[in-house]
Amino acid sequence: VVDTGWCTIDAETLEQNYEHIQFSFMADDLPVDMEQIFIYDQELSDRICRIHSGIVRAWPPGDHIITITMSILQPINDGWDDYPAGDYTDIFIITASP
């Protein structure tokens, strides 16, 4: 399972932030169809998060690269901190074994 998300102080802030956030996933430099990514909200005692989750299956043995980019289109605040516009990228190397 590969997932990422964004958390805010409350549901209203989450919705406001998501007007200015876009996610993209790449697997071995190929774009992942975002229709294949499961999105759900998770409410905790002090925050609410929107999670984007996908399952990786049947990769050939070897190393594979997952790149997840969250693009913030204009400055936002999650209820705690300010985040400038820009791309925030995480890169994961996954080793599949037979």
Side-chain angles (χ1 to χ4, degrees):
V1 174
V2 177
D3 62 11
T4 192
W6 182 255
C7 299
T8 62
I9 198 163
D10 58 32
E12 180 181 351
T13 304
L14 183 66
E15 294 304 326
Q16 290 171 352
N17 282 190
Y18 257 78
E19 292 176 13
H20 309 292
I21 295 175
Q22 293 177 344
F23 280 94
S24 64
F25 285 58
M26 302 278 288
D28 291 336
D29 293 324
L30 297 172
V32 173
D33 178 3
M34 292 305 287
E35 294 290 322
Q36 301 299 315
I37 301 297
F38 181 63
I39 301 170
Y40 62 95
D41 289 352
Q42 181 178 31
E43 195 165 344
L44 305 170
S45 62
D46 64 340
R47 68 192 67 219
I48 185 166
C49 304
R50 185 155 297 154
I51 309 299
H52 299 248
S53 185
I55 297 174
V56 178
R57 294 187 186 152
W59 271 359
D63 289 343
H64 301 276
I65 298 174
I66 298 287
T67 305
I68 302 172
T69 300
M70 178 181 71
S71 298
I72 296 179
L73 307 177
Q74 72 178 41
I76 58 175
N77 181 292
D78 62 3
W80 301 286
D81 296 304
D82 294 321
Y83 295 87
D87 290 338
Y88 297 77
T89 301
D90 291 312
I91 299 172
F92 303 94
I93 299 173
I94 298 172
T95 301
S97 56

